[in-house]
Amino acid sequence: MDIQYCLRCSRELAAGQKYAAVYMFSQTVGIKPRQKSSAQRICFCPQCSVSLAMGPPPEGALNLAAWQMIRDLVGSDPALTEAAWENLSGVAGLLPGSVLAPTGTDSRRAAPGGYFEF
Ligand SMILES: [Zn+2]
């Protein structure tokens, strides 16, 4: 089983951990034979999912589509938000200002403003 990393904060998402995934693949339409790309899985840890969902819309059509899907997940059930708080309990106090700030050790890789980077 391969290890996943949060796209936004680079946190490692081990097997059994809670996170949100955006799946994306591409295929031709109206062309035979139909071509289909491999599927990509883009993962976000619970904190980043909630932070993104509560933030302003990102720029770019693909980013916007992904953002709306994350908002759907966060808005439809409190489980993801609860998972974010569970994870935060271990690092409380390290986050002056906003509890939803990126918390990864390598948060410098996050885009300015912290939005999707495809
Ligand atoms: Zn993250």
Side-chain angles (χ1 to χ4, degrees):
M1 185 172 292
D2 53 346
I3 297 164
Q4 303 290 327
Y5 294 91
C6 173
L7 180 72
R8 187 165 178 251
C9 71
S10 304
R11 180 198 313 272
E12 189 178 309
L13 301 165
Q17 208 165 325
K18 296 169 183 171
Y19 59 91
V22 176
Y23 294 87
M24 195 160 70
F25 73 94
S26 176
Q27 70 179 28
T28 57
V29 178
I31 299 165
K32 290 184 177 170
R34 173 172 285 185
Q35 301 293 316
K36 194 170 170 181
S37 75
S38 59
Q40 298 287 320
R41 182 155 79 149
I42 299 155
C43 302
F44 295 99
C45 70
Q47 288 98 312
C48 289
S49 302
V50 173
S51 181
L52 285 165
M54 294 173 71
E59 286 185 19
L62 276 176
N63 291 348
L64 197 60
W67 177 72
Q68 281 166 343
M69 289 188 277
I70 298 279
R71 279 170 70 91
D72 270 0
L73 293 184
V74 172
S76 62
D77 194 297
L80 200 56
T81 308
E82 281 163 17
W85 283 106
E86 280 166 27
N87 290 357
L88 278 173
S89 63
V91 290
L94 300 173
L95 306 168
S98 168
V99 293
L100 294 173
T103 57
T105 51
D106 192 13
S107 60
R108 284 164 298 158
R109 276 185 56 190
Y115 300 111
F116 300 95
E117 277 187 296
F118 287 133

